[in-house]
Amino acid sequence: MNRIDMLKSRWRPEWSQRSDLSKLSGAFHKALHFIETMPKTRSELAGPGNLSPKGLNDAIRAVAAEKIVPDLRRAMWDAEKTANGLKNDLLRLAVPRQHDKSDLAGAMMRAEMRGMLREMLKGSSEEVGERLRIIMQEPDFLVAAFEGPAQLSGMTEEFRSDLERRMIEQAHGPAVEAINSAKEAVDLVQAAIEMAVNTVRHEGDFGNDNFFASWMATASAEVEREIAAEKVKAEAPKTNAEALTAGEDISTKISAIFAARLKPFELSADHQVAA
């Protein structure tokens, strides 16, 4: 099984049927198409035998710059937007942690509950398990448990995170399953895009990292401007919760693929390399 067949075998048919993953599906298949066609394009250009090695490289690079790199950058952007959407979906399922700061009576009651929780979570694992079951059925206790550091409720942060995960899965099982499935699709698209970028590099016979990065930045510059304009148009003030979780953006992993290749940057004079 070659690398393209391996990627295809991992793509689930249901992903192509999901309306929320339609652009992701398009990005995946577009990346596969480029992985397949780049070697063929080089062979076709080399066929007549009238191009020097440098001329052949220039020709394949011209095709890639015009017809492949811009589409790959758009594909990556579609994957990034899907990933951000999944992050927001997860945030909506999370246990609320914001409270009315002016409600002193409510704050005092939750403090008392946390004291009770500390006592309830002492004992054998069987006793703790039974008490957790009770806690998960009492909304007031849950609100108290997720306010402030986990230690205030007699938990570790890891234990509370696991509790939250189980609560979300219990209350929103189908939604969590759909989100996790979509995450797998995003990861697969990431792999396909990375493979397509490496194919461009190989078939274009780029031998220098800095030159390839500079060339990719130039080839994708127009798409970068389109993306920047779209981000400005869609930008809105962040809520407190979003601001706190901004550093955990799922799309960071995907953006890393193009970090050294598609983000415009300046090369110092002594690092410039001629084609």
Side-chain angles (χ1 to χ4, degrees):
M1 180 181 293
N2 61 34
R3 57 183 183 170
I4 298 175
D5 290 337
M6 180 184 67
L7 288 172
K8 288 180 178 178
S9 69
R10 293 173 56 194
W11 184 263
R12 300 183 189 177
E14 60 264 28
W15 291 338
S16 298
Q17 305 302 318
R18 285 177 55 169
S19 59
D20 60 326
L21 299 182
S22 59
K23 287 190 175 181
L24 200 64
S25 176
F28 176 73
H29 290 95
K30 185 170 291 185
L32 292 185
H33 173 71
F34 291 144
I35 296 170
E36 290 180 310
T37 58
M38 277 293 291
K40 295 178 182 177
T41 300
R42 186 178 181 90
S43 295
E44 290 171 358
L45 290 171
N50 57 351
L51 293 175
S52 67
K54 183 180 183 303
L56 179 58
N57 286 341
D58 288 343
I60 193 67
R61 292 171 188 176
V63 172
E66 179 184 358
K67 300 180 179 180
I68 296 177
V69 174
D71 278 349
L72 276 180
R73 184 62 182 101
R74 290 188 183 95
M76 192 276 280
W77 174 232
D78 286 335
E80 183 177 334
K81 288 189 290 184
T82 301
N84 279 326
L86 295 175
K87 179 199 69 174
N88 292 331
D89 290 343
L90 285 173
L91 284 175
R92 284 191 287 270
L93 298 180
V95 176
R97 288 172 169 77
Q98 300 298 317
H99 307 287
D100 183 356
K101 294 182 179 180
S102 65
D103 183 9
L104 296 180
M108 292 176 65
M109 182 181 70
R110 291 191 298 274
E112 289 292 330
M113 288 181 173
R114 283 190 290 275
M116 294 177 64
L117 285 172
R118 287 194 296 273
E119 294 300 318
M120 292 174 68
L121 294 178
K122 294 178 181 179
S124 66
S125 58
E126 291 79 7
E127 291 173 329
V128 170
E130 176 61 22
R131 289 164 182 170
L132 277 177
R133 185 184 65 79
I134 296 173
I135 292 170
M136 291 179 68
Q137 294 174 350
E138 294 293 336
D140 290 338
F141 272 107
L142 286 176
V143 171
F146 285 93
E147 182 179 19
Q151 291 80 359
L152 292 178
S153 301
M155 306 178 187
T156 63
E157 291 292 347
E158 182 180 6
F159 184 89
R160 189 168 69 172
S161 295
D162 182 64
L163 176 61
E164 180 175 24
R165 178 186 57 78
R166 285 188 287 159
M167 288 167 49
I168 292 173
E169 289 176 352
Q170 179 177 298
H172 308 283
V176 171
E177 184 178 349
I179 291 172
N180 288 337
S181 178
K183 282 183 180 180
E184 291 183 36
V186 169
D187 287 342
L188 193 58
V189 171
Q190 172 191 5
I193 293 174
E194 185 172 15
M195 191 176 293
V197 170
N198 288 334
T199 301
V200 170
R201 177 173 184 163
H202 179 266
E203 298 302 330
D205 196 20
F206 292 90
N208 180 277
D209 288 343
N210 285 337
F211 174 59
F212 181 57
S214 179
W215 178 87
M216 288 285 280
T218 300
S220 64
E222 181 59 35
V223 180
E224 292 290 353
R225 286 190 286 270
E226 294 172 8
I227 292 172
E230 185 176 340
K231 287 181 177 179
V232 170
K233 185 176 180 180
E235 191 174 24
K238 292 182 178 180
T239 64
N240 290 337
E242 289 173 332
L244 289 173
T245 57
E248 300 174 345
D249 194 339
I250 299 173
S251 66
T252 300
K253 183 178 179 183
I254 298 175
S255 296
I257 301 171
F258 281 59
R261 298 182 174 98
L262 296 185
K263 297 299 181 184
F265 64 92
E266 295 183 359
L267 294 174
S268 60
D270 57 1
H271 282 88
Q272 293 287 348
V273 181

mmCIF file of all heavy atoms in Angstrom, residues 72 76 79 186-198 212 216 251-263:
data_model
loop_
_atom_site.group_PDB
_atom_site.id
_atom_site.type_symbol
_atom_site.label_atom_id
_atom_site.label_comp_id
_atom_site.label_asym_id
_atom_site.label_seq_id
_atom_site.Cartn_x
_atom_site.Cartn_y
_atom_site.Cartn_z
ATOM 1 N N LEU A 72 -3.252 24.733 -1.720
ATOM 2 C CA LEU A 72 -2.833 24.060 -0.491
ATOM 3 C C LEU A 72 -2.999 24.987 0.702
ATOM 4 O O LEU A 72 -3.414 24.558 1.784
ATOM 5 C CB LEU A 72 -1.375 23.616 -0.600
ATOM 6 C CG LEU A 72 -1.095 22.286 -1.297
ATOM 7 C CD1 LEU A 72 0.405 22.016 -1.317
ATOM 8 C CD2 LEU A 72 -1.827 21.141 -0.620
ATOM 9 N N MET A 76 -5.371 24.392 3.916
ATOM 10 C CA MET A 76 -4.942 24.473 5.306
ATOM 11 C C MET A 76 -5.817 25.430 6.099
ATOM 12 O O MET A 76 -6.160 25.175 7.256
ATOM 13 C CB MET A 76 -3.475 24.904 5.368
ATOM 14 C CG MET A 76 -2.831 24.756 6.748
ATOM 15 S SD MET A 76 -3.133 26.157 7.846
ATOM 16 C CE MET A 76 -1.908 27.304 7.238
ATOM 17 N N ALA A 79 -8.996 23.765 7.018
ATOM 18 C CA ALA A 79 -8.777 22.854 8.145
ATOM 19 C C ALA A 79 -8.655 23.624 9.449
ATOM 20 O O ALA A 79 -9.166 23.203 10.490
ATOM 21 C CB ALA A 79 -7.508 22.023 7.893
ATOM 22 N N VAL A 186 -9.555 16.172 10.958
ATOM 23 C CA VAL A 186 -8.622 17.301 10.893
ATOM 24 C C VAL A 186 -7.180 16.801 10.899
ATOM 25 O O VAL A 186 -6.345 17.258 10.118
ATOM 26 C CB VAL A 186 -8.851 18.264 12.079
ATOM 27 C CG1 VAL A 186 -7.709 19.279 12.174
ATOM 28 C CG2 VAL A 186 -10.182 18.996 11.922
ATOM 29 N N ASP A 187 -6.883 15.845 11.778
ATOM 30 C CA ASP A 187 -5.524 15.296 11.846
ATOM 31 C C ASP A 187 -5.121 14.641 10.526
ATOM 32 O O ASP A 187 -3.966 14.749 10.090
ATOM 33 C CB ASP A 187 -5.420 14.263 12.975
ATOM 34 C CG ASP A 187 -5.429 14.900 14.353
ATOM 35 O OD1 ASP A 187 -5.183 16.115 14.441
ATOM 36 O OD2 ASP A 187 -5.696 14.185 15.334
ATOM 37 N N LEU A 188 -6.074 13.967 9.889
ATOM 38 C CA LEU A 188 -5.760 13.296 8.631
ATOM 39 C C LEU A 188 -5.525 14.319 7.515
ATOM 40 O O LEU A 188 -4.630 14.147 6.677
ATOM 41 C CB LEU A 188 -6.899 12.345 8.249
ATOM 42 C CG LEU A 188 -6.598 11.350 7.130
ATOM 43 C CD1 LEU A 188 -5.392 10.485 7.484
ATOM 44 C CD2 LEU A 188 -7.812 10.466 6.865
ATOM 45 N N VAL A 189 -6.327 15.370 7.506
ATOM 46 C CA VAL A 189 -6.120 16.437 6.520
ATOM 47 C C VAL A 189 -4.755 17.086 6.744
ATOM 48 O O VAL A 189 -4.035 17.400 5.793
ATOM 49 C CB VAL A 189 -7.245 17.484 6.607
ATOM 50 C CG1 VAL A 189 -6.916 18.711 5.750
ATOM 51 C CG2 VAL A 189 -8.566 16.881 6.155
ATOM 52 N N GLN A 190 -4.395 17.270 8.002
ATOM 53 C CA GLN A 190 -3.073 17.810 8.330
ATOM 54 C C GLN A 190 -1.976 16.956 7.709
ATOM 55 O O GLN A 190 -1.030 17.477 7.104
ATOM 56 C CB GLN A 190 -2.896 17.859 9.849
ATOM 57 C CG GLN A 190 -1.494 18.212 10.297
ATOM 58 C CD GLN A 190 -1.290 17.994 11.785
ATOM 59 O OE1 GLN A 190 -2.160 17.500 12.481
ATOM 60 N NE2 GLN A 190 -0.121 18.354 12.269
ATOM 61 N N ALA A 191 -2.095 15.658 7.868
ATOM 62 C CA ALA A 191 -1.089 14.745 7.330
ATOM 63 C C ALA A 191 -1.045 14.830 5.803
ATOM 64 O O ALA A 191 0.038 14.802 5.195
ATOM 65 C CB ALA A 191 -1.388 13.316 7.772
ATOM 66 N N ALA A 192 -2.205 14.927 5.166
ATOM 67 C CA ALA A 192 -2.255 14.993 3.706
ATOM 68 C C ALA A 192 -1.632 16.289 3.189
ATOM 69 O O ALA A 192 -0.890 16.290 2.198
ATOM 70 C CB ALA A 192 -3.705 14.868 3.229
ATOM 71 N N ILE A 193 -1.920 17.407 3.863
ATOM 72 C CA ILE A 193 -1.356 18.686 3.445
ATOM 73 C C ILE A 193 0.160 18.685 3.609
ATOM 74 O O ILE A 193 0.896 19.141 2.732
ATOM 75 C CB ILE A 193 -1.979 19.846 4.245
ATOM 76 C CG1 ILE A 193 -3.467 20.000 3.885
ATOM 77 C CG2 ILE A 193 -1.242 21.155 3.973
ATOM 78 C CD1 ILE A 193 -4.200 21.021 4.724
ATOM 79 N N GLU A 194 0.608 18.154 4.726
ATOM 80 C CA GLU A 194 2.050 18.095 4.960
ATOM 81 C C GLU A 194 2.728 17.245 3.888
ATOM 82 O O GLU A 194 3.807 17.599 3.385
ATOM 83 C CB GLU A 194 2.335 17.517 6.341
ATOM 84 C CG GLU A 194 3.812 17.520 6.710
ATOM 85 C CD GLU A 194 4.047 17.123 8.153
ATOM 86 O OE1 GLU A 194 3.124 16.581 8.784
ATOM 87 O OE2 GLU A 194 5.170 17.355 8.643
ATOM 88 N N MET A 195 2.096 16.138 3.520
ATOM 89 C CA MET A 195 2.662 15.279 2.491
ATOM 90 C C MET A 195 2.677 15.999 1.137
ATOM 91 O O MET A 195 3.625 15.867 0.354
ATOM 92 C CB MET A 195 1.860 13.978 2.389
ATOM 93 C CG MET A 195 2.516 12.910 1.549
ATOM 94 S SD MET A 195 1.582 11.355 1.547
ATOM 95 C CE MET A 195 1.795 10.847 3.266
ATOM 96 N N ALA A 196 1.631 16.771 0.857
ATOM 97 C CA ALA A 196 1.568 17.511 -0.400
ATOM 98 C C ALA A 196 2.656 18.583 -0.451
ATOM 99 O O ALA A 196 3.289 18.790 -1.494
ATOM 100 C CB ALA A 196 0.185 18.143 -0.566
ATOM 101 N N VAL A 197 2.872 19.269 0.668
ATOM 102 C CA VAL A 197 3.931 20.281 0.719
ATOM 103 C C VAL A 197 5.295 19.631 0.474
ATOM 104 O O VAL A 197 6.134 20.154 -0.270
ATOM 105 C CB VAL A 197 3.917 21.011 2.077
ATOM 106 C CG1 VAL A 197 5.160 21.889 2.236
ATOM 107 C CG2 VAL A 197 2.659 21.860 2.215
ATOM 108 N N ASN A 198 5.523 18.490 1.088
ATOM 109 C CA ASN A 198 6.789 17.784 0.891
ATOM 110 C C ASN A 198 6.948 17.313 -0.550
ATOM 111 O O ASN A 198 8.066 17.252 -1.079
ATOM 112 C CB ASN A 198 6.883 16.591 1.844
ATOM 113 C CG ASN A 198 7.109 17.014 3.277
ATOM 114 O OD1 ASN A 198 7.658 18.083 3.543
ATOM 115 N ND2 ASN A 198 6.677 16.203 4.230
ATOM 116 N N PHE A 212 13.351 27.459 0.025
ATOM 117 C CA PHE A 212 12.028 26.869 -0.130
ATOM 118 C C PHE A 212 10.987 27.641 0.676
ATOM 119 O O PHE A 212 9.889 27.904 0.203
ATOM 120 C CB PHE A 212 12.057 25.406 0.307
ATOM 121 C CG PHE A 212 10.741 24.693 0.158
ATOM 122 C CD1 PHE A 212 10.106 24.629 -1.072
ATOM 123 C CD2 PHE A 212 10.124 24.094 1.250
ATOM 124 C CE1 PHE A 212 8.885 23.969 -1.225
ATOM 125 C CE2 PHE A 212 8.912 23.443 1.110
ATOM 126 C CZ PHE A 212 8.292 23.382 -0.131
ATOM 127 N N MET A 216 7.813 29.534 -0.969
ATOM 128 C CA MET A 216 6.446 29.196 -0.570
ATOM 129 C C MET A 216 5.701 30.434 -0.084
ATOM 130 O O MET A 216 4.517 30.613 -0.376
ATOM 131 C CB MET A 216 6.474 28.136 0.539
ATOM 132 C CG MET A 216 6.876 26.754 0.081
ATOM 133 S SD MET A 216 5.572 25.903 -0.842
ATOM 134 C CE MET A 216 4.537 25.325 0.496
ATOM 135 N N SER A 251 -6.059 24.793 16.465
ATOM 136 C CA SER A 251 -5.475 25.015 15.140
ATOM 137 C C SER A 251 -3.971 25.213 15.183
ATOM 138 O O SER A 251 -3.322 25.193 14.141
ATOM 139 C CB SER A 251 -6.115 26.249 14.491
ATOM 140 O OG SER A 251 -5.766 27.411 15.212
ATOM 141 N N THR A 252 -3.392 25.415 16.369
ATOM 142 C CA THR A 252 -1.941 25.604 16.477
ATOM 143 C C THR A 252 -1.197 24.445 15.844
ATOM 144 O O THR A 252 -0.197 24.617 15.144
ATOM 145 C CB THR A 252 -1.531 25.741 17.949
ATOM 146 O OG1 THR A 252 -2.198 26.881 18.499
ATOM 147 C CG2 THR A 252 -0.024 25.925 18.070
ATOM 148 N N LYS A 253 -1.686 23.233 16.103
ATOM 149 C CA LYS A 253 -1.025 22.046 15.570
ATOM 150 C C LYS A 253 -1.030 22.052 14.052
ATOM 151 O O LYS A 253 -0.038 21.717 13.399
ATOM 152 C CB LYS A 253 -1.742 20.798 16.102
ATOM 153 C CG LYS A 253 -1.106 19.481 15.668
ATOM 154 C CD LYS A 253 -1.859 18.314 16.272
ATOM 155 C CE LYS A 253 -1.287 16.979 15.853
ATOM 156 N NZ LYS A 253 -2.052 15.835 16.389
ATOM 157 N N ILE A 254 -2.164 22.452 13.466
ATOM 158 C CA ILE A 254 -2.277 22.458 12.010
ATOM 159 C C ILE A 254 -1.414 23.575 11.409
ATOM 160 O O ILE A 254 -0.706 23.375 10.429
ATOM 161 C CB ILE A 254 -3.745 22.648 11.592
ATOM 162 C CG1 ILE A 254 -4.577 21.472 12.102
ATOM 163 C CG2 ILE A 254 -3.869 22.753 10.088
ATOM 164 C CD1 ILE A 254 -6.043 21.626 11.835
ATOM 165 N N SER A 255 -1.457 24.760 12.018
ATOM 166 C CA SER A 255 -0.699 25.896 11.483
ATOM 167 C C SER A 255 0.791 25.622 11.448
ATOM 168 O O SER A 255 1.519 26.201 10.646
ATOM 169 C CB SER A 255 -0.983 27.139 12.325
ATOM 170 O OG SER A 255 -2.333 27.502 12.234
ATOM 171 N N ALA A 256 1.266 24.737 12.328
ATOM 172 C CA ALA A 256 2.690 24.444 12.391
ATOM 173 C C ALA A 256 3.210 23.866 11.078
ATOM 174 O O ALA A 256 4.397 23.972 10.770
ATOM 175 C CB ALA A 256 2.983 23.472 13.530
ATOM 176 N N ILE A 257 2.320 23.236 10.315
ATOM 177 C CA ILE A 257 2.741 22.647 9.045
ATOM 178 C C ILE A 257 3.354 23.703 8.137
ATOM 179 O O ILE A 257 4.362 23.497 7.475
ATOM 180 C CB ILE A 257 1.537 22.016 8.317
ATOM 181 C CG1 ILE A 257 0.893 20.946 9.174
ATOM 182 C CG2 ILE A 257 1.942 21.442 6.973
ATOM 183 C CD1 ILE A 257 -0.412 20.468 8.595
ATOM 184 N N PHE A 258 2.711 24.881 8.090
ATOM 185 C CA PHE A 258 3.152 25.921 7.172
ATOM 186 C C PHE A 258 3.958 27.006 7.884
ATOM 187 O O PHE A 258 4.350 27.986 7.267
ATOM 188 C CB PHE A 258 1.932 26.587 6.511
ATOM 189 C CG PHE A 258 1.350 25.787 5.380
ATOM 190 C CD1 PHE A 258 0.882 24.507 5.590
ATOM 191 C CD2 PHE A 258 1.260 26.324 4.113
ATOM 192 C CE1 PHE A 258 0.342 23.772 4.554
ATOM 193 C CE2 PHE A 258 0.715 25.594 3.071
ATOM 194 C CZ PHE A 258 0.259 24.308 3.300
ATOM 195 N N ALA A 259 4.214 26.823 9.164
ATOM 196 C CA ALA A 259 4.853 27.887 9.938
ATOM 197 C C ALA A 259 6.152 28.353 9.315
ATOM 198 O O ALA A 259 6.439 29.542 9.262
ATOM 199 C CB ALA A 259 5.099 27.408 11.369
ATOM 200 N N ALA A 260 6.954 27.406 8.836
ATOM 201 C CA ALA A 260 8.257 27.754 8.277
ATOM 202 C C ALA A 260 8.206 27.957 6.779
ATOM 203 O O ALA A 260 9.179 28.377 6.170
ATOM 204 C CB ALA A 260 9.271 26.656 8.609
ATOM 205 N N ARG A 261 7.042 27.656 6.184
ATOM 206 C CA ARG A 261 6.982 27.664 4.722
ATOM 207 C C ARG A 261 6.045 28.725 4.158
ATOM 208 O O ARG A 261 6.320 29.300 3.120
ATOM 209 C CB ARG A 261 6.555 26.290 4.221
ATOM 210 C CG ARG A 261 7.536 25.179 4.588
ATOM 211 C CD ARG A 261 7.076 23.863 4.005
ATOM 212 N NE ARG A 261 8.060 22.821 4.225
ATOM 213 C CZ ARG A 261 8.009 21.942 5.203
ATOM 214 N NH1 ARG A 261 7.033 22.004 6.077
ATOM 215 N NH2 ARG A 261 8.939 21.014 5.329
ATOM 216 N N LEU A 262 4.939 28.963 4.813
ATOM 217 C CA LEU A 262 3.944 29.854 4.236
ATOM 218 C C LEU A 262 3.826 31.199 4.911
ATOM 219 O O LEU A 262 3.147 32.073 4.420
ATOM 220 C CB LEU A 262 2.564 29.176 4.259
ATOM 221 C CG LEU A 262 2.460 27.924 3.409
ATOM 222 C CD1 LEU A 262 1.031 27.417 3.408
ATOM 223 C CD2 LEU A 262 2.885 28.189 1.982
ATOM 224 N N LYS A 263 4.438 31.371 6.079
ATOM 225 C CA LYS A 263 4.367 32.652 6.759
ATOM 226 C C LYS A 263 5.471 33.564 6.228
ATOM 227 O O LYS A 263 6.653 33.232 6.310
ATOM 228 C CB LYS A 263 4.520 32.478 8.267
ATOM 229 C CG LYS A 263 3.405 31.653 8.885
ATOM 230 C CD LYS A 263 2.062 32.308 8.683
ATOM 231 C CE LYS A 263 0.953 31.481 9.331
ATOM 232 N NZ LYS A 263 -0.369 32.043 9.072
#
